């Protein structure tokens, strides 16, 4: 850590550059957990270096994804719990790039805050590192920026991006999807990181007791349930791809079933799903009840308990479910592929 860098004038303007140095020092132990075979240097330079191993690939393709956690960050701030929101930031990116069949290589984060409190920033980054460990990606860099005057002291926002790799011939591009294929659901861990503007409105989170318990939620409080981090599916899907032909994958994020599942299907094909076959998590039943939200809006906003959907040949369904189950996923048959341009048929 630098001992010679200090600007009294900058500090009076609201930016303490030495806090940034302390944050980096506090992060390093967490970041070390994420190192993989591609890492070439330590965090703290001007750029993150990564050695690319393309052995065994005929035509390697890099796949990138970027995202944030939306207004779920507000829940973390209200609950003063910052060590899991970073998992969400990583999940939103790596779950996207695995939809193309890409194995995540590395991740970079960006934190904008009203005031850099080193222990708080390090706690946020500890969650980022946990997400990287869960996905096999290395955290090779990032940025923390103080924005005094633009953000309240206690506020922050978190975003990042991931880069992965896949052999071009193995890219999942939905070109092999056909009528009669089956759709497998991978259960979500909760609301994940989408729809929180509506969640916050339904529960009026700024003015309610987030420690309140509802019978339908079991032992967890409302706040704990809502802050549950997004599930990361990368390692399970990679195992599945090794043994079964995966034809299409959809990461169910903002826009729910109606927006995301059609994105993974070619023109002329739709997903036919019985709503009674969807294992809806209790939190979504509570949101619909408290907010008086119609079924269509729920399925067009939230994941409803399905974090990811995977299309495979019907003859591979049993094997796929077994592989996913052995990988720790709660997976089940969700529906089938039919001809048509509806995108999603929920009945």
């Amino acid at each position: 850590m630098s001992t010679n860098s200090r600007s009294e004038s900058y500090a009076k303007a609201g930016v303490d550059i030495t806090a940034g140095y302390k944050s980096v020092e506090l992060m390093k132990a967490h970041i070390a957990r994420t190192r993989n075979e591609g890492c070439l240097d330590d965090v703290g330079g001007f750029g993150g270096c990564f050695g690319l191993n393309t052995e065994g690939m005929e035509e390697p393709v890099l796949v990138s994804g970027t995202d944030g956690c939306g207004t779920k960050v507000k829940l973390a701030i209200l609950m003063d719990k910052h060590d899991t929101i970073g998992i969400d930031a990583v999940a939103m990116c790596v779950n996207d790039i695995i939809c193309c069949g890409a194995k995540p290589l590395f991740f970079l984060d960006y934190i904008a805050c009203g005031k850099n409190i080193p222990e708080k920033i390090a706690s946020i980054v500890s969650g980022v590192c946990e997400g990287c460990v869960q996905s096999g990606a290395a955290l090779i860099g990032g940025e923390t920026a103080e924005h005094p005057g633009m953000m309240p002291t206690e506020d922050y926002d978190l975003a990042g991006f991931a880069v992965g790799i896949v052999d071009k011939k193995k890219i999942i591009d939905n070109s092999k999807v056909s009528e009669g294929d089956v759709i497998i659901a991978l259960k979500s861990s909760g609301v994940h990181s989408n729809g929180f503007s509506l969640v916050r409105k339904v529960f009026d989170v700024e003015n309610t007791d987030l420690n309140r318990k509802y019978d339908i939620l079991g032992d967890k409080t409302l706040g704990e349930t809502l802050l549950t981090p997004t599930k990361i599916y990368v390692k399970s899907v990679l195992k599945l791809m090794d043994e079964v032909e995966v034809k299409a994958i959809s990461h169910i994020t903002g826009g729910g079933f109606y927006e995301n599942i059609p994105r993974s299907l070619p023109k002329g094909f739709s997903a036919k799903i019985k709503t009674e076959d969807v294992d809806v998590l209790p939190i979504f039943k509570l949101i619909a009840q408290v907010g008086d939200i119609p079924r269509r809006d729920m399925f067009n906003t939230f994941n409803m308990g399905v974090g990811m959907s995977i299309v495979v040949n019907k003859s591979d369904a049993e094997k796929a479910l077994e592989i996913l189950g052995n990988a720790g996923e709660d997976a089940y048959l969700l529906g089938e592929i039919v001809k048509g341009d509806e995108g999603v048929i929920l009945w």
Side-chain angles (χ1 to χ4, degrees):
M1 184 171 74
S2 174
T3 58
N4 194 39
S5 179
R6 170 79 182 173
S7 170
E8 296 294 340
S9 298
Y10 209 4
K12 289 177 181 178
V15 177
D16 182 359
I17 56 178
T18 60
Y21 302 143
K22 184 177 179 181
S23 295
V24 172
E25 289 300 313
L26 293 174
M27 294 174 195
K28 284 187 175 179
H30 301 297
I31 296 169
R33 298 176 57 219
T34 76
R35 289 183 66 85
N36 59 28
E37 66 279 1
C39 294
L40 298 181
D41 57 12
D42 292 325
V43 172
F46 290 96
C49 298
F50 192 89
L52 194 60
N53 181 4
T54 61
E55 184 178 355
M57 294 188 181
E58 294 178 10
E59 196 172 352
V61 175
L62 294 179
V63 180
S64 61
T66 185
D67 210 336
C69 310
T71 59
K72 186 174 185 176
V73 173
K74 188 66 175 178
L75 266 293
I77 294 169
L78 289 169
M79 295 178 66
D80 194 24
K81 180 174 172 54
H82 312 285
D83 60 345
T84 61
I85 196 70
I87 300 175
D88 293 283
V90 176
M92 296 305 293
C93 297
V94 297
N95 282 347
D96 273 357
I97 66 175
I98 193 64
C99 290
C100 299
K103 175 185 176 181
L105 297 173
F106 58 83
F107 185 83
L108 283 86
D109 64 346
Y110 177 83
I111 303 169
C113 58
K115 180 176 177 60
N116 186 333
I117 302 171
E119 293 77 12
K120 183 175 178 180
I121 298 300
S123 182
I124 296 168
V125 174
S126 74
V128 173
C129 293
E130 175 59 28
C132 287
V133 169
Q134 290 183 23
S135 63
L139 181 62
I140 64 170
E143 171 70 7
T144 302
E146 281 187 280
H147 289 171
M150 288 185 63
M151 303 174 72
T153 299
E154 70 278 5
D155 278 8
Y156 65 88
D157 196 13
L158 171 65
F161 77 90
V163 173
I165 192 168
V166 61
D167 202 343
K168 188 174 182 179
K169 65 183 180 182
K170 293 184 178 180
I171 292 176
I172 299 172
D173 62 2
N174 77 28
S175 62
K176 296 181 180 179
V177 171
S178 61
E179 186 178 18
D181 287 341
V182 297
I183 306 166
I184 293 175
L186 301 188
K187 198 167 183 177
S188 71
S189 56
V191 184
H192 283 186
S193 301
N194 302 103
F196 271 87
S197 293
L198 179 54
V199 167
R200 288 168 49 235
K201 181 176 184 295
V202 167
F203 293 110
D204 189 19
V205 296
E206 285 84 356
N207 300 299
T208 196
D209 180 11
L210 290 170
N211 291 316
R212 177 179 176 180
K213 289 189 174 182
Y214 293 83
D215 290 341
I216 195 172
L217 300 181
D219 293 334
K220 284 189 173 184
T221 65
L222 174 63
E224 289 171 337
T225 302
L226 292 175
L227 205 56
T228 301
T230 304
K231 187 166 179 57
I232 292 176
Y233 301 98
V234 169
K235 292 181 179 179
S236 302
V237 173
L238 287 173
K239 287 180 181 178
L240 180 64
M241 289 170 53
D242 283 340
E243 300 187 50
V244 171
E245 181 183 41
V246 175
K247 297 187 176 185
I249 305 178
S250 176
H251 182 200
I252 313 298
T253 56
F257 282 42
Y258 285 102
E259 180 178 329
N260 292 286
I261 294 179
R263 290 170 60 187
S264 69
L265 303 177
K267 285 187 177 181
F269 292 93
S270 298
K272 187 176 182 181
I273 300 168
K274 286 184 181 179
T275 52
E276 64 188 49
D277 289 340
V278 180
D279 188 4
V280 178
L281 292 178
I283 183 60
F284 297 112
K285 296 176 183 179
L286 182 63
I287 292 170
Q289 176 187 338
V290 174
D292 190 25
I293 301 172
R295 188 189 77 170
R296 165 90 192 192
D297 287 356
M298 289 296 297
F299 276 91
N300 209 160
T301 306
F302 301 107
N303 68 62
M304 299 302 286
V306 180
M308 188 163 278
S309 66
I310 298 176
V311 177
V312 300
N313 192 291
K314 187 175 183 179
S315 62
D316 289 328
E318 187 175 340
K319 183 178 181 180
L321 289 171
E322 181 181 0
I323 293 168
L324 290 166
N326 290 338
E329 298 297 339
D330 190 343
Y332 60 93
L333 290 179
L334 181 65
E336 63 177 338
I337 301 299
V338 298
K339 288 186 176 179
D341 293 315
E342 294 92 339
V344 173
I345 304 168
L346 285 171
W347 61 292

